[in-house]
Structures are given as C-alpha cells and as structure tokens.
Amino acid sequence: MAATVGIIGLGYVGLPLAVAFAQEGCEVLGVDVDSRKVEAIAAGESYIEDVPSEVLAKASARIHATTRYARLAKADAVLICVPTPLSPNREPDLGPLVDATRALAEVLQPDQLVVLESTTYPGTTRERVAPLLEESGLAAGRDFSLAFSPERVDPGRTDYTLRTTPKVIGGLTESCAERAEALYGVVCDTLVRVSGPEAAELAKLLENIFRSVNIALVNELAMLTDRMGIDVWEVVEAAATKPYGFMRFEPGPGMGGHCLPVDPFYLTWRAREFDVATEFIELAGKVNQQMPYHCVAKVQRALNDAGLSVKGARVSVLGVAYKPGVGDLRESPALKIIELLRDLGAHLSYHDPHVPALADLGLASRPLEQLVADSDLVLIVTAHPGVDHGLVAKRARLVVDLRGVTRGSAAANVVRL
Ligand SMILES: NC(=O)c1ccc[n+]([C@@H]2O[C@H](COP(=O)([O-])OP(=O)(O)OC[C@H]3O[C@@H](n4cnc5c(N)ncnc54)[C@H](O)[C@@H]3O)[C@@H](O)[C@H]2O)c1
C-alpha cells in the first residue's frame, strides 16, 4: 500500500516533494501556515516556477493542503520543510522549526516516521527536534522514527531532478534510517545512508560552504584582475580546460538566494561552541558582500569614462532575481546594487521577465527595448535565458556586464566584471 506522506512547509522544497509523492500514488497531507499557499494548491495553481500549474493540477487530487496540523495524525511519515533563516544578528533562527515541531508533537502517533529536510547545523535533529517531539510522550527511535535528509533542490535546474539526485539520509537509529530509505526510495533512485543525522546535516552545509568559498575565491580574483587589466572570464575559461583538479566557478555581483548567504553561518554559530572559528566561511561571506560595492564602482567608472556622473544618470538593471530562470529575489545582489546607485543619485529602472514589480523599491519591470533606448547605462546583473544580451550590447549606449554574457564582444561601449 502506498504511504500517506505529511509535509510541513509547502515552499520551494515542500511543494515539489508533495508533487513527487503524489505522482507516485501516495496521499499527501500538506500543512502550511500560509493560507494563500493552501488555497493555491486546492485551485491547482502553482507558485513555484519548477512546478508547472498543469503538473500540480494533475497531482492535486492526492495533495490535501491545510493550515491545520491535526490531519498529520493520519500520515505514515511527516517531512519538515520549513525555513531556517538567520536572525537580524546573524544567528540561526529556529523559530519556524520549533513552532512546526511543537505543533507536530501534539498530533504525533506511534510508529510514524519524521524527517527533517530543512538545512541546519549538526545536532539539530537529535538535540532540538527529538526532545520537542518527545513532549508527546513518545520516545524517538523507539516509539517513532526520526531522521535528517537534506533537500538538494536547485530551483531552475532541469538536468538533475528529485528522482535523479542522490539523497543523503541519516537516521537516529538503524531502523529509523531504514524507514526513511523505504520512504525516499519511492521518489529517488539513489539513496546515500550516513551514520546519523549529524553527518547528514553537516554534509548539506559542506555542499553550500564549498560553493560559497569557491565563488568568493573567483570574486576576489575578479577584483584583482580589474586592477591588473586582465579579463577574469578568459582566465576562468582557460583554467576550466584542465580536465582534472579544477572546478569552474563564475564571478558575479555577489551571492543571492536564501541558501548560500545564510546556511554557512549556521555552522559558524555552532562551531563557536567548540572554540573553533570557521574562518573560510567568514572570509567568503566578507568577500562576497563586497561584490555589489565593486560592481557599483565599475558603473561609476564606466559613466565617468563616458563623461557622465552617476548623479542624474539613467541606469537600468537587466535581471534582478538572484539567479537566471527564476523570480526569487531573496538576498539578490541586484537589490543592494539598486540601493547603492540610488544613494549616489542615479535614476533606476529595470527589466526582468520573472519579476513584474519591486514593490519595496517602487519599481515595475519595463519592456526591454524601451528600457535600453531610455538608458545611459544598462547593467546586466542576472542573465536570464531568453534575453538577447548580444542585441542589448549592440543597442545600448553603455553596458556593464556582471555575468560575462557579452564575452567575445570587443565593443567600446561594453565593460565586463
Ligand atoms: N529553496 C531551495 O533551493 C532550498 C534548497 C535546499 C534546501 N533548502 C532548505 O529547505 C528549507 C525550506 O526552504 P524553502 O526554500 O522551501 O522555504 P520557503 O520559504 O519557500 O517555504 C517554507 C514554507 O514553510 C512555511 N512555514 C513556515 N513556518 C511554518 C510552520 N510553523 N508550519 C507550517 N509551515 C510553515 C512557509 O509558509 C513556507 O510556505 C530551508 O531550510 C532551506 O534552507 C532550500
């Protein structure tokens, strides 16, 4: 018999999981505190780019979304996919996780499997989630199963899917891991069991820290090559021809999304308890945070070379989402760059096919052609697929390209990071 799967948190992680289990014939009981999401699911309307509405609509007969936890009592397994942000002073904010776990504890049943998917520091599952669930009177590893299995979804990616991306699983006990493997085997082809939740929690952080550190390395190089008059894109391209021992990372305006700028600091915080300073993480954060300032300096110089000042210049940002192909604005460096340029007196506009409006900044996406014609400078911050950057470079008065999409163009009006 197919399992009944409860999913707490129906966002970028939870909704694709809900659809995947529903497609395999499982009944999905979804819980989210956001009633708009619950209503959208009932109407078969997706709010996540990677889940087309047609796909959701087809699966929605098996996805029962609600704001109430009581229904989870009927689930065989419950996956927790709530946010794990940082507090304003950059410490782990486990508020949503604690709320969700407490609410689940009230309806927890013997023999249920609970899996935490949210990214977090090593120790969270055992030291925070287990005790809260045990307030139900049931013992973790004995009366109910508990595991950690990190989500690896990469919004916008199509070459690897939930099914084809190996899934790491760390159970509190052997039998917890076996239960989790049996569940995830329904939607994933390859399962990777590790010794316990801590190894799985840290493996996820290592993946994100690895990216953060390598992006910082190439960003630092971009700041140096700028002074040295060397083309960083050419250097990266040349190094990437080495068939072994090198992995390509691209420079850019800074790190966006809610993962890379946030997750590494979960480990930094935890490491302090062990008298260890995670210097790579801190340094990577520092370098990546400098990038929007470096990019603004490039804009300033490009305008200056054209006899213009930033004050009063019409600067248009092309692409404001944090990465290509999505409309997610979380921590997007474009927002910081817009703010910095505004502070300098520039008049800002933008075009982004995925982001119709930036309400907080009082801006709406303008048609590309109009934008290019009306601008003193076009700043390519995020290179969405489907946008003809070559044409933009040809038509615009001045272009600053922070993504290397105009490589190959030697036109005098184009400046690259
Ligand atoms: N988005 C990604 O690419 C990605 C990739 C890997 C891991 N993660 C991790 O997965 C976790 C979830 O991320 P996300 O991107 O899906 O976040 P999200 O903000 O898109 O979705 C989280 C959902 O949880 C809901 N929620 C919050 N508190 C709740 C509660 N107490 N009870 C029920 N629902 C609640 C929110 O309303 C929201 O719909 C985070 O730990 C994140 O770091 C995200």
Side-chain angles (χ1 to χ4, degrees):
M1 194 187 81
T4 300
V5 183
I7 298 183
I8 305 178
L10 298 165
Y12 283 91
V13 167
L15 188 64
L17 270 173
V19 170
F21 279 106
Q23 283 172 338
E24 295 304 325
C26 299
E27 291 298 315
V28 176
L29 308 174
V31 176
D32 201 295
V33 286
D34 184 345
S35 57
R36 288 167 309 176
K37 286 190 175 139
V38 168
E39 284 157 21
I41 292 172
E45 285 164 14
S46 177
Y47 41 84
I48 302 283
E49 279 109 339
D50 286 352
V51 178
S53 286
E54 311 86 76
V55 173
L56 176 63
K58 256 193 184 162
S60 64
R62 292 189 196 277
I63 303 177
H64 315 282
T66 165
T67 54
R68 297 159 56 93
Y69 275 74
R71 300 218 27 208
L72 293 176
K74 295 212 160 56
D76 299 300
V78 180
L79 316 181
I80 305 177
C81 310
V82 296
T84 42
L86 289 175
S87 68
N89 45 358
R90 301 194 74 70
E91 293 191 343
D93 172 6
L94 291 186
L97 177 58
V98 169
D99 289 349
T101 309
R102 280 217 170 100
L104 176 59
E106 283 177 24
V107 297
L108 192 71
Q109 301 297 313
D111 293 330
Q112 281 185 323
L113 163 69
V114 179
V115 185
L116 176 59
E117 291 237 1
S118 305
T119 309
T120 185
Y121 59 80
T124 310
T125 307
R126 193 184 302 271
E127 295 167 25
R128 300 297 305 271
V129 174
L132 286 171
L133 290 176
E134 287 178 336
E135 284 174 17
S136 62
L138 302 172
R142 189 190 71 198
D143 303 326
F144 69 95
S145 298
L146 181 61
F148 181 83
S149 180
E151 183 50 57
R152 283 174 157 170
V153 67
D154 182 13
R157 182 175 286 280
T158 51
D159 50 353
Y160 287 96
T161 60
L162 183 60
R163 176 157 289 288
T164 58
T165 307
K167 192 129 177 61
V168 173
I169 292 171
L172 207 61
T173 64
E174 284 283 302
S175 105
C176 293
E178 277 161 21
R179 286 277 311 272
E181 280 182 343
L183 177 75
Y184 285 113
V186 173
V187 289
C188 296
D189 289 340
T190 309
L191 304 174
V192 182
R193 197 199 291 195
V194 293
S195 60
E198 292 77 9
E201 288 160 335
L202 189 52
K204 171 68 189 180
L205 289 180
L206 171 60
E207 292 164 21
N208 283 355
I209 292 164
F210 172 80
R211 283 187 57 70
S212 159
V213 166
N214 280 287
I215 292 170
L217 175 64
V218 77
N219 277 341
E220 188 175 72
L221 211 64
M223 290 191 259
L224 174 65
T225 52
D226 188 47
R227 299 252 175 117
M228 295 173 98
I230 299 171
D231 181 346
V232 70
W233 304 97
E234 189 187 3
V235 173
V236 170
E237 204 119 315
T241 59
K242 186 176 177 183
Y244 50 87
F246 183 82
M247 188 178 278
R248 183 187 184 127
F249 282 87
E250 309 255 326
M255 278 189 328
H258 68 305
C259 285
L260 297 194
V262 170
D263 302 347
F265 296 97
Y266 265 66
L267 189 61
T268 299
W269 177 85
R270 182 64 163 167
R272 268 185 236 134
E273 250 182 68
F274 297 85
D275 297 329
V276 173
T278 52
E279 293 181 37
F280 272 105
I281 296 174
E282 300 277 7
L283 183 60
K286 215 162 108 183
V287 172
N288 288 326
Q289 265 170 15
Q290 275 174 38
M291 286 312 287
Y293 295 89
H294 176 70
C295 297
V296 166
K298 285 213 79 127
V299 170
Q300 229 166 340
R301 259 190 288 149
L303 287 168
N304 188 55
D305 289 347
L308 296 167
S309 63
V310 185
K311 198 176 177 71
R314 294 163 304 164
V315 177
S316 296
V317 172
L318 190 44
V320 294
Y322 84 87
K323 71 178 201 173
V326 303
D328 195 344
L329 287 168
R330 289 180 286 187
E331 310 267 340
S332 174
L335 304 176
K336 183 75 190 172
I337 289 173
I338 290 174
E339 183 194 314
L340 293 174
L341 285 168
R342 268 196 172 165
D343 286 349
L344 291 170
H347 298 301
L348 269 299
S349 328
Y350 83 95
H351 171 78
D352 191 313
H354 298 270
V355 183
L358 295 175
D360 290 352
L361 297 169
L363 294 172
S365 177
R366 293 181 57 201
L368 183 58
E369 277 188 29
Q370 208 186 75
L371 189 88
V372 171
D374 288 350
S375 304
D376 295 311
L377 184 145
V378 176
L379 178 60
I380 303 171
V381 178
T382 300
H384 286 300
V387 174
D388 188 344
H389 295 99
L391 194 66
V392 170
K394 268 198 199 120
R395 300 235 168 115
R397 288 182 188 89
L398 265 179
V399 173
V400 175
D401 169 12
L402 306 178
R403 295 294 183 177
V405 283
T406 61
R407 264 173 300 186
S409 158
N413 67 326
V414 178
V415 173
R416 273 180 292 278
L417 182 67

